[in-house]
Amino acid sequence: MDRMKRVPVREQEPKVRAVNFDEVCLGYTEEQAVEEASRCLNCKNPLCVQGCPVSIDIPTFVQYVKNREFEKAAKVIAKYSSLPAVCGRVCPQETQCEGKCVLGIKGEPVSIGKLERFVGDWSRENNVNLTDTEPKKNKRVAVIGSGPAGLTCAGDLAKKGYDVTIFEALHEPGGVLVYGIPEFRLPKDTVVRAEIENIKKLGVKIETNVVVGRTANIDKLMEEEGYDALFIGSGAGLPKFMGIPGENANGVFSANEFLTRVNLMKAHKEDYATPVKVGQKVAVVGGGNVAMDAARTALRLGAESHIVYRRSEEELPARLEEVHHAKEEGIIFDLLTNPVEILADENGWVKGMKCVKMELGEPDKSGRRRPTPIEGSEFIIDVDTVIMSLGTSPNPLISSTTEGLEINKWKCIVTEEETGKTSKDAVYAGGDAVTGAATVILAMEAGKKAANAINEFLSNQ
Amino acid sequence: MFKIIKKKLLVPNIYLMDIEAPRVANTAKPGQFVIVKMHEKGERVPLTICDYNKEKGTITIVFQAVGRSTEEMAKYKEGEYFEDFVGPLGKPSEFLNENIEELKNKKVLFISGGVGAAPVYPQVKWCHEHGIKADVIMGTRSKDLLILEDEMKSVADNVYVTTDDGSYGFKGLVTDKFKDLVDNEDKKYDYVVAIGPIIMMKFVSLATKPYEIKTIVSMNPLMVDGTGMCGACRVTVGDKTKFACVDGPEFDGHLVDFDEAMRRQAMYKTEEGREKIKIEEANKEKHHHHHGGCGCCGGEE
């Protein structure tokens, strides 16, 4: 074994997976996991833990994997995270735990994400009981939103003995884990549902079909239903559009709509009633993970699929692994290209997209090189479907219906950074609702911090 | 799970149901809508709230069986359950924000087309309960498709029924009756609310414009989530893009781009492949269903 090299993980062949929705990465076998775990140096001062937003005791669980004590490994992770099979799959480990691994200096870092995923999958397949909770405290906490932030906050509070109810607007809990991230990266029935079931086993109740701001409101939940504290993890689900001519033509979708139809409503399956329209040639505008998900989904529905991005490959905000997978599958990248108008036929259907070539100037305040259009470089891409993946912002539904909840100019809820406390007493918030669109694990970190702060707040009452 | 407490066939193909949904009933207001998903494989179907009863915890919906989902919905019986029922969604009617004393001095005219009578009813009822007088023009294709006439008469000042074929009431379109009332019967209106097929709302808006009467329409575009996270329901209003599910569904009829709205509503209707197969599978030959659209579309199909 070469200590500097990772044990490679099994994947579906690009040509095979480009036409199915099965998971691309097949994960480690027991033998592979043990072998990969044995590369870990078990550092005395483990930097990897510092890189993990929820500070999982990585060396300890990895050593248990190395010794084939998988159940013990699962119980170590469970102290920190209720969603290991999810995080092992979707965290950008290269900038977190694995980015700090000392083996990464001279060789390849330990595949911490793949090992966490292995442990999460193993404990599900072997029905490991992870339901240890402290004695009941007889205090009630309401959690708004069942995405990663809400699930983490709810799970942590339940473990501390609180009576927790999650309110979810959609018919299925999970937030972006169910409507946003596609099956081929994160299987819904096996992985997401199972981890949510684990959180329910801790005693957390989930009430779906409750839109806070419409069906219920925050003040009434506290006053009339007697919750002692409340956590808002409602995310950033409001899609942005470009505001260019033709954007309301038939065949132009937000990535949220397109992905929700396929992931949540299973529009690609014949026996589900929700339809999805995908043409012969699809342009996905944007360069983030959501853009990659949309482009790869469109490809699997049979389209020629393009990523249209205004900067160059270096600036793509998507994870390297996702860009790599997308390229392998045959996604075409039209870089330094920006749409200026969507062209429609006489029936109002998309028939093309007028774009302009871009060049990169000096770095702006955020450190990214600012793209500027090249004069006279307009050209037309023939497409019949356009998917706008330009990012999302928080939905104002909750903030606009809650008295005294401070928000900033981006409609994000203002909180104290360490506790998630909002401008309202006993009301905490975290995740994308506070930061704007970010990552699953950062939302979990915020949920965790808020759970600690809520515990402290209620303990001192 | 949400229990069907009552089911009634109003006229052929148009059904009324009372659904047990206490949270929704507790906060529902006129002008809002719900989304129903019948079972695991179903789609999310938006339907306007027709009535609500806070004590009983029920919401009344009225829908026309015009496509795969609504036809399936029509097969559900009293005592059975819908898996998902979410609401109230959208903004309540503009009335609710207006000064009631000022409204009492105004003359309001409601115009409904087809099943649009169902969402018009709670608004007229609300006006009645608040001492605001309102007239109603109820348009329908023919007498046998007219719904909620008695209910409407019990809360409205005057009810005028129009039928396309003249089988009952005034023969002609709702816009003809509107002009007749204003031009020939010297009626003055300060406020018009029109709910029905998009084409009808378009022509009502065109008809009221020369008289400079403020006109509100309730849009029924395609929807998926109904909470503002996807933009499937976007509508151009006064050159701005709005999401009907959170910014509406009611908008100023003189500012709505109706042609775009009609085109967008047909997005899945014109698709031949998959949808056709589905319809054949379900042995339904007559209708194309505007997927995710509103069951209140009345006679436009």
Side-chain angles (χ1 to χ4, degrees), chain A residues 206-271:
Chain A
I206 303 183
E207 208 181 314
T208 51
N209 296 312
V210 177
V211 184
V212 174
R214 296 274 192 237
T215 317
N217 88 39
I218 284 180
D219 292 314
K220 283 191 178 165
L221 282 175
M222 308 270 290
E223 287 158 22
E224 292 172 16
E225 300 193 27
Y227 288 97
D228 299 293
L230 188 143
F231 175 77
I232 304 170
S234 50
L238 195 74
K240 290 178 185 157
F241 286 92
M242 294 188 81
I244 57 174
E247 217 169 3
N248 289 346
N250 288 10
V252 182
F253 305 97
S254 72
N256 265 10
E257 179 187 348
F258 181 68
L259 290 171
T260 298
R261 283 179 184 273
V262 178
N263 297 329
L264 180 70
M265 306 310 295
K266 308 205 187 306
H268 60 295
K269 294 189 178 174
E270 278 301 320
D271 51 343

Side-chain angles (χ1 to χ4, degrees), chain A residues 171 207 209 214-215 225 237-238 247-250 252 254 256-257 267 271-274 347-349 395, chain B residues 23 27 40-41 43-44 68 84 87-88 90 227-230 232 234 236 260 263-264 267-268 274 278 291:
Chain A
H171 56 267
E207 208 181 314
N209 296 312
R214 296 274 192 237
T215 317
E225 300 193 27
L238 195 74
E247 217 169 3
N248 289 346
N250 288 10
V252 182
S254 72
N256 265 10
E257 179 187 348
D271 51 343
Y272 283 74
T274 303
N347 297 317
W349 278 93
N395 191 321
Chain B
R23 278 196 188 278
T27 47
E40 196 201 335
K41 293 179 178 175
E43 63 182 331
R44 295 170 64 96
R68 189 177 186 243
D84 299 288
T227 63
M229 61 170 263
C230 87
R234 57 198 195 275
T236 302
E260 179 190 276
R263 201 191 70 217
R264 286 186 61 80
M267 203 175 322
Y268 287 99
R274 219 189 118 130
K278 269 189 191 167
H291 259 283

Side-chain angles (χ1 to χ4, degrees), chain A residues 182-459:
Chain A
E183 287 273 345
F184 54 82
R185 284 215 287 137
L186 184 64
K188 307 295 162 236
D189 288 349
T190 47
V191 176
V192 180
R193 271 197 188 162
E195 295 209 326
I196 291 173
E197 282 306 311
N198 281 343
I199 290 169
K200 283 193 193 165
K201 282 180 197 154
L202 296 168
V204 172
K205 294 180 278 292
I206 303 183
E207 208 181 314
T208 51
N209 296 312
V210 177
V211 184
V212 174
R214 296 274 192 237
T215 317
N217 88 39
I218 284 180
D219 292 314
K220 283 191 178 165
L221 282 175
M222 308 270 290
E223 287 158 22
E224 292 172 16
E225 300 193 27
Y227 288 97
D228 299 293
L230 188 143
F231 175 77
I232 304 170
S234 50
L238 195 74
K240 290 178 185 157
F241 286 92
M242 294 188 81
I244 57 174
E247 217 169 3
N248 289 346
N250 288 10
V252 182
F253 305 97
S254 72
N256 265 10
E257 179 187 348
F258 181 68
L259 290 171
T260 298
R261 283 179 184 273
V262 178
N263 297 329
L264 180 70
M265 306 310 295
K266 308 205 187 306
H268 60 295
K269 294 189 178 174
E270 278 301 320
D271 51 343
Y272 283 74
T274 303
V276 65
K277 167 79 190 167
V278 69
Q280 305 286 312
K281 202 168 161 183
V282 175
V284 178
V285 181
N289 288 319
V290 177
M292 299 303 142
D293 286 345
R296 295 170 70 196
T297 299
L299 179 93
R300 283 161 170 76
L301 294 171
E304 178 185 305
S305 185
H306 292 242
I307 288 277
V308 176
Y309 180 57
R310 63 194 181 134
R311 291 185 165 96
S312 70
E313 177 157 359
E314 221 170 287
E315 286 81 20
L316 281 170
R319 287 184 69 190
L320 268 180
E321 184 181 339
E322 303 308 323
V323 175
H324 175 71
H325 278 151
K327 282 187 172 170
E328 276 186 342
E329 288 165 11
I331 305 292
I332 301 157
F333 284 73
D334 300 334
L335 300 164
L336 290 165
T337 302
N338 204 31
V340 290
E341 184 181 353
I342 290 162
L343 309 169
D345 65 17
E346 64 275 17
N347 297 317
W349 278 93
V350 175
K351 65 167 185 185
M353 189 162 77
K354 193 196 271 182
C355 295
V356 60
K357 279 280 169 202
M358 308 292 277
E359 58 188 353
L360 293 179
E362 293 302 306
D364 61 14
K365 277 181 201 156
S366 73
R368 290 197 301 177
R369 293 176 66 193
R370 184 188 293 278
T372 46
I374 300 171
E375 222 171 287
S377 66
E378 282 88 358
F379 67 105
I380 289 168
I381 307 181
D382 293 325
V383 288
D384 51 17
T385 304
V386 176
I387 299 170
M388 292 294 177
S389 179
L390 310 158
T392 54
S393 59
N395 191 321
L397 202 52
I398 289 179
S399 53
S400 66
T401 55
T402 308
E403 290 280 325
L405 187 68
E406 193 189 335
I407 53 170
N408 66 20
K409 63 177 172 178
W410 298 283
K411 308 261 198 258
C412 297
I413 299 171
V414 177
T415 62
E416 288 176 11
E417 201 182 327
E418 278 311 300
T419 60
K421 192 185 173 320
T422 68
S423 54
K424 269 180 94 76
D425 272 351
V427 177
Y428 295 74
D432 289 2
V434 169
T435 57
T439 61
V440 167
I441 189 73
L442 287 175
M444 289 177 57
E445 178 187 20
K448 197 164 207 54
K449 277 184 180 172
N452 287 330
I454 289 170
N455 179 41
E456 202 162 303
F457 166 71
L458 292 179
S459 303

Side-chain angles (χ1 to χ4, degrees), chain B residues 7-189:
Chain B
K7 177 188 176 185
K8 193 173 152 193
L9 181 68
L10 295 178
V11 297
N13 250 6
I14 299 180
Y15 297 84
L16 176 148
M17 282 182 181
D18 285 348
I19 311 295
E20 191 174 65
R23 278 196 188 278
V24 189
N26 198 32
T27 47
K29 294 203 171 73
Q32 294 187 297
F33 63 98
V34 293
I35 285 183
V36 181
K37 183 169 161 286
M38 283 173 277
H39 51 76
E40 196 201 335
K41 293 179 178 175
E43 63 182 331
R44 295 170 64 96
V45 182
L47 293 168
T48 319
I49 292 169
C50 174
D51 206 352
Y52 46 88
N53 186 321
K54 287 188 206 300
E55 286 71 44
K56 288 186 191 157
T58 57
I59 293 282
T60 304
I61 53 172
V62 170
F63 61 93
Q64 183 166 25
V66 287
R68 189 177 186 243
S69 285
T70 39
E71 279 171 2
E72 199 179 339
M73 197 180 290
K75 290 187 186 133
Y76 277 65
K77 299 184 184 78
E78 280 179 11
E80 290 187 324
Y81 293 82
F82 291 138
E83 194 166 275
D84 299 288
F85 189 89
V86 58
L89 300 170
K91 286 187 177 159
S93 293
E94 241 183 67
F95 281 126
L96 282 86
N97 299 322
E98 299 222 357
N99 185 311
I100 289 176
E101 292 311 311
E102 278 175 33
L103 270 179
K104 281 180 184 169
N105 298 323
K106 288 186 178 171
K107 274 295 273 179
V108 184
L109 173 68
F110 288 90
I111 302 180
S112 73
V115 198
V120 159
Y121 170 69
Q123 303 204 24
V124 182
K125 186 178 161 194
W126 186 90
C127 287
H128 180 68
E129 285 165 357
H130 290 81
I132 300 156
K133 289 194 167 167
D135 287 355
V136 185
I137 300 176
M138 301 175 73
T140 171
R141 267 195 223 145
S142 60
K143 187 186 179 185
D144 56 346
L145 290 172
L146 180 65
I147 57 166
L148 301 173
E149 187 192 8
D150 293 339
E151 287 85 347
M152 205 71 88
K153 279 184 171 161
S154 70
V155 290
D157 210 23
N158 296 294
V159 172
Y160 309 97
V161 176
T162 73
T163 50
D164 296 0
D165 60 3
S167 52
Y168 185 58
F170 178 93
K171 182 178 191 299
L173 302 171
V174 290
T175 42
D176 299 331
K177 184 66 199 173
F178 163 75
K179 284 182 190 150
D180 179 55
L181 287 174
V182 178
D183 295 342
N184 305 330
E185 298 195 23
D186 210 26
K187 289 268 191 180
K188 297 236 182 320
Y189 293 109

